[in-house]
Amino acid sequence: MPAPAKVRQMARECIAVRVRLLNRLITGVCDDGLRPFGVRVAQVNILVAVAHDGPLPPGEVAKRLVMDKSTLSRDADRLIANGWLTAEPTDDGRSHTLGITPEGLDLLERIHPVWVAGQKKLAAILGADTVGAISGTVNDLWAKMK
């Protein structure tokens, strides 16, 4: 029996399923390259955000990366345990900021060639037009979030 028209429409047009497929493809390529370093792409994103703009409160990192705070907390705890991030108390002692350590910066330096290779692999898989469309869309979204 053929699927009902509404089901066919959902299968044909669902943005969420397409973005999730794209996310799984991209995350898989990135995580494969990062595996020898004992880190995942989501954790590298945290390190880069903190290295670029930090030190930052965890809530700000979560906001910038559009991450759930509990997921950020779990990943940050692992990064702290590995000596790649610090959690420094704020002046009022009620919160903390995340900062990058010299070891964290060194890790990013060592990861960089793998990151470049991953970017090239993804560009070859997706094509320049798709990469450009993704970058433009995300840049627009980030601009609206500020």
Side-chain angles (χ1 to χ4, degrees):
M1 171 167 80
K6 290 177 183 176
V7 172
R8 288 194 312 271
Q9 179 188 18
M10 292 168 73
R12 196 175 50 246
E13 299 175 18
C14 184
I15 296 168
V17 76
R18 282 155 177 76
V19 170
R20 289 178 61 82
L21 172 70
L22 188 60
N23 180 52
R24 286 190 293 271
L25 168 77
I26 292 169
T27 299
V29 168
C30 294
D31 282 349
D32 285 349
L34 295 170
R35 194 164 286 115
F37 299 94
V39 68
R40 296 184 328 271
V41 69
Q43 295 163 335
V44 172
N45 291 338
I46 294 166
L47 289 171
V48 169
V50 172
H52 189 265
D53 296 324
L56 294 168
E60 182 61 27
V61 176
K63 179 181 171 189
R64 290 175 187 215
L65 296 176
V66 192
M67 280 181 92
D68 181 76
K69 287 181 185 179
S70 64
T71 302
L72 172 70
S73 179
R74 282 190 302 276
D75 282 339
D77 286 348
R78 185 164 188 282
L79 296 169
I80 291 165
N82 282 310
W84 298 324
L85 278 185
T86 62
E88 298 297 327
T90 57
D91 290 339
D92 64 12
R94 291 187 285 168
S95 186
H96 66 279
T97 58
L98 297 174
I100 191 86
T101 65
E103 294 82 7
L105 287 173
D106 178 64
L107 176 66
L108 292 176
E109 287 285 333
R110 290 184 291 123
I111 284 172
H112 188 263
V114 172
W115 176 85
V116 169
Q119 298 300 295
K120 288 180 182 177
K121 182 175 182 176
L122 288 167
I125 292 168
L126 299 171
D129 289 345
T130 301
V131 171
I134 292 168
S135 293
T137 300
V138 171
N139 290 341
D140 289 347
L141 288 171
W142 271 334
K144 290 176 185 174
M145 290 170 42
K146 290 183 180 181

